[in-house]
C-alpha cells in the first residue's frame, strides 16, 4: 500500500503531546504545554457569547470581518504608530499557526532559502519544507540567547527569500532589542529579502521593556508580515484567532494560500476579539504585570530547588539550566525522569533545535494559577532538596 507524505511522516509526535501524555500517565502538574489555566477576560467572553446568540453565524468574509480588521488597524496605530489600511493590509486567520502557514506557502518558491533562528517553535521547519524552502539556521546561544553579525553572514545568501523571526521568542523567552532588530533589518534589506514576524506574545513583555515590531524599523514597512494572536493577548488559546498585517503586495499571495487552508474564522470570535483589541490600556499592562509576577514566583521557586534559572524577558516561559544536578543524561531524559519522579512536566529545549542543540536546558510554563505553581515547586523541593 502506498504511504503518506514522506516529509510529514518523517516527523514524530510533537514533544508537547509526548510530555502531556506522560503528565497524564503519572498524575503530574503539566508545566510543559504553554497555555493559561484561567478563563480569560469576562467581557470578551460575554461579547463572544452575545455574538453567537444574536449575530451572524454564516460564512464571514475570507479576509475577516470588517470590525476586527478595523480594530487591527487601530491597534497597530495605537501601540506602534503604524498607519495600516484595514481594507488592503489586514487579514484574519484561524490561529497564528494558520497565519504562519499561509505566509510561508504564499511566499516561498521551491529552492528559496529561509533563515530560521533556533531554538524555534516546532511548526516552523515542517511548513518551510512543505513549501519547498531550504532552511538556514542561526543558533542563539544561552544564557542570553545572543547572536552575532557573523552568524547572520553565514545564514544569509543571494538565495535568501525570507527570515522568520519569533519575537518575543518561544521557547527561550527572549525579547529582541533594537540593536538586534536593526542588524536583522540590515541583512534583510541587503539581500532584498522579506521577514515573517511571529509576534504572538507582543503584549507579554516584562521589566519595563516595550515590544518593537520589526515592521516599524526604517525600510521594513513593505518587507514585513506581522502575525498576531488573540489566543495569547486574551489568554484564550483555544479560540484560534490569528491575524496578519502586511503591505498589499505581500498580503495578496498570503490571502491566496489562506483561501485554500481554512478560508475563514468563526464570526462570533472575531466580534469578541475586535472588542478586546479596543480595551483600555490597563488591560494590556495588567496582562504583562500579572504574568511577570508569575514568572518571578516560579523562577524563585526553581532557584530555591537548585535550578540555574535563565533570564525571561517575555512569553509564558522560563528556561533553566540543569547542569548543577549532575544528571546522567540529556535534557530529554531529564524531562522524562522529572515527570515520573517529581510529578512535574517540563519541555526539553533541545526539541526546539535542528542542529547544535544544548542538552542541559529545560523550559517551564508559568501561565498557571499561583496555587498550581506553588504545588509544582513543593513537589520539586521534595524530590531535590530532600536528597
Amino acid at each position: 500500500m502506498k504511504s503518506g507524505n514522506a516529509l510529514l511522516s518523517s516527523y514524530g509526535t510533537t514533544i508537547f503531546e509526548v510530555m502531556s501524555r506522560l503528565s497524564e500517565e503519572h498524575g503530574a502538574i503539566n508545566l510543559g504545554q504553554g497555555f493559561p489555566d484561567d478563563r480569560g477576560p469576562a467581557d470578551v467572553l460575554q461579547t463572544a457569547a452575545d455574538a453567537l446568540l444574536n449575530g451572524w453565524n454564516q460564512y464571514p468574509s475570507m479576509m475577516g470581518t470588517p470590525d476586527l480588521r478595523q480594530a487591527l488597524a487601530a491597534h497597530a496605530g495605537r501601540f506602534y504608530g503604524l498607519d495600516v489600511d484595514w481594507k488592503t493590509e489586514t487579514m484574519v486567520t484561524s490561529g497564528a499557526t494558520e497565519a504562519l502557514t499561509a505566509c510561508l506557502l504564499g511566499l516561498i518558491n521551491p529552492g528559496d532559502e529561509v533563515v530560521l533562528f533556533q531554538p524555534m517553535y516546532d511548526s516552523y521547519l515542517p511548513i518551510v519544507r512543505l513549501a519547498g524552502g531550504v532552511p538556514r539556521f542561526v543558533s542563539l546561544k544561552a544564557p542570553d540567547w545572543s547572536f552575532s553579525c557573523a552568524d547572520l553572514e553565514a545564514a544569509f545568501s543571494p538565495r535568501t527569500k525570507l527570515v522568520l523571526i519569533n519575537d518575543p521568542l518561544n521557547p527561550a523567552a527572549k525579547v529582541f532589542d533594537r540593536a538586534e532588530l536593526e542588524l536583522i533589518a540590515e541583512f534583510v534589506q541587503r539581500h532584498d529579502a522579506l521577514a515573517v514576524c511571529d509576534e504572538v506574545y507582543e503584549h507579554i513583555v516584562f521589566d519595563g521593556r516595550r515590544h518593537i515590531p520589526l515592521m516599524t524599523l526604517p525600510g521594513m514597512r513593505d518587507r514585513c508580515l506581522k502575525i498576531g494572536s488573540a489566543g495569547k493577548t486574551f489568554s484564550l488559546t483555544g479560540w484560534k484567532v490569528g491575524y496578519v498585517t502586511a503591505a498589499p503586495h505581500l498580503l495578496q499571495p498570503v490571502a491566496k494560500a489562506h483561501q485554500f487552508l481554512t478560508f475563514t474564522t468563526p464570526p462570533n470570535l472575531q466580534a469578541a476579539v475586535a472588542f478586546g483589541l479596543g480595551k483600555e490600556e490597563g488591560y494590556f499592562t495588567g496582562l504583562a504585570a500579572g504574568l511577570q509576577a508569575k514568572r518571578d514566583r516560579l523562577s524563585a521557586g526553581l532557584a530555591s530547588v537548585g535550578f540555574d534559572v535563565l533570564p525571561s524577558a517575555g512569553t509564558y516561559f522560563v528556561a533553566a539550566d540543569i547542569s548543577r544536578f549532575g544528571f546522567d543524561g540529556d535534557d530529554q531524559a531529564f524531562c522524562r525522569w522529572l515527570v515520573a519522579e517529581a510529578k512535574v512536566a517540563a519541555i526539553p529545549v533541545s526539541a526546539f533545535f535542528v542542529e547544535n542543540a544544548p542538552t542541559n536546558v529545560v523550559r517551564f510554563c508559568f501561565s498557571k494559577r499561583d496555587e498550581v505553581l506553588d504545588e509544582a515547586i513543593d513537589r520539586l523541593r521534595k524530590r531535590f532538596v530532600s536528597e
Side-chain angles (χ1 to χ4, degrees):
M1 184 176 294
K2 294 180 179 179
S3 61
N5 179 275
L7 192 154
L8 291 178
S9 297
S10 69
Y11 289 95
T13 305
T14 71
I15 191 65
F16 308 108
E17 181 66 16
V18 169
M19 294 311 302
S20 291
R21 287 178 185 173
L22 286 173
S23 182
E24 292 177 6
E25 178 183 331
H26 292 285
I29 293 175
N30 190 351
L31 300 186
Q33 198 161 13
F35 59 86
D37 60 1
D38 61 16
R39 286 186 50 79
D43 52 356
V44 175
L45 294 173
Q46 188 62 55
T47 302
D50 292 344
L52 178 66
L53 293 174
N54 304 312
W56 177 258
N57 285 295
Q58 307 306 327
Y59 291 129
S61 165
M62 180 189 85
M63 297 299 289
T65 60
D67 60 340
L68 179 49
R69 297 173 70 198
Q70 290 165 13
L72 289 170
H75 173 273
R78 173 184 173 190
F79 286 97
Y80 308 122
L82 289 167
D83 183 10
V84 172
D85 182 350
W86 73 268
K87 292 182 178 179
T88 63
E89 296 188 313
T90 65
M91 184 177 76
V92 180
T93 60
S94 292
T97 301
E98 197 248 312
L100 175 75
T101 304
C103 286
L104 296 176
L105 293 179
L107 296 172
I108 296 172
N109 289 307
D112 286 342
E113 292 185 358
V114 177
V115 175
L116 300 163
F117 291 86
Q118 53 173 8
M120 60 188 170
Y121 189 60
D122 67 340
S123 70
Y124 291 178
L125 186 60
I127 301 170
V128 167
R129 286 180 167 158
L130 276 175
V134 178
R136 301 290 298 273
F137 301 108
V138 175
S139 297
L140 303 176
K141 303 167 187 67
D144 58 349
W145 307 105
S146 60
F147 65 96
S148 67
C149 182
D151 293 326
L152 298 187
E153 290 280 7
F156 278 79
S157 83
R159 295 178 297 279
T160 301
K161 180 63 168 289
L162 61 87
V163 57
L164 175 53
I165 178 172
N166 181 202
D167 180 26
L169 173 64
N170 171 21
K174 174 185 176 65
V175 174
F176 289 74
D177 63 31
R178 178 170 289 276
E180 291 173 322
L181 293 172
E182 287 174 346
L183 184 59
I184 294 169
E186 176 189 332
F187 273 80
V188 168
Q189 293 176 76
R190 183 194 308 175
H191 292 276
D192 192 23
L194 306 173
V196 175
C197 304
D198 178 351
E199 301 181 8
V200 298
Y201 293 100
E202 62 186 323
H203 289 294
I204 306 175
V205 294
F206 308 138
D207 305 313
R209 294 177 178 85
R210 298 287 293 182
H211 171 63
I212 306 171
L214 188 63
M215 180 181 282
T216 62
L217 269 60
M220 296 301 290
R221 177 65 172 83
D222 292 336
R223 293 184 180 273
C224 289
L225 301 98
K226 182 182 185 301
I227 296 173
S229 167
K232 301 301 190 296
T233 297
F234 301 109
S235 302
L236 297 166
T237 59
W239 280 18
K240 299 298 290 180
V241 178
Y243 20 85
V244 184
T245 302
H249 72 281
L250 296 179
L251 195 59
Q252 183 180 30
V254 173
K256 291 186 176 180
H258 164 65
Q259 72 180 338
F260 297 122
L261 291 170
T262 61
F263 180 71
T264 193
T265 299
N268 71 306
L269 301 184
Q270 294 193 56
V273 175
F275 167 82
L277 288 174
K279 285 170 72 70
E280 71 284 351
E281 182 77 15
Y283 169 76
F284 298 93
T285 57
L287 174 68
L291 285 164
Q292 180 176 321
K294 292 180 181 295
R295 176 204 66 176
D296 293 344
R297 191 183 197 96
L298 182 60
S299 296
L302 291 171
S304 73
V305 172
F307 287 88
D308 185 6
V309 180
L310 304 186
S312 170
T315 75
Y316 290 158
F317 309 109
V318 62
D321 191 322
I322 61 173
S323 300
R324 67 174 59 180
F325 292 120
F327 181 77
D328 185 17
D330 62 12
D331 57 343
Q332 299 208 26
F334 181 87
C335 285
R336 290 176 181 274
W337 175 86
L338 192 71
V339 75
E341 294 295 324
K343 303 296 189 290
V344 175
I347 297 289
V349 169
S350 64
F352 299 88
F353 281 77
V354 176
E355 58 189 28
N356 305 318
T359 58
N360 60 323
V361 181
V362 300
R363 188 198 78 175
F364 295 92
C365 175
F366 52 75
S367 61
K368 310 296 181 182
R369 298 188 311 277
D370 288 350
E371 57 267 31
V372 174
L373 299 177
D374 292 345
E375 173 61 22
I377 293 301
D378 285 344
R379 293 186 181 190
L380 292 171
R381 185 171 289 113
K382 289 175 183 176
R383 186 64 185 84
F384 288 101
V385 177
S386 61
E387 291 186 343

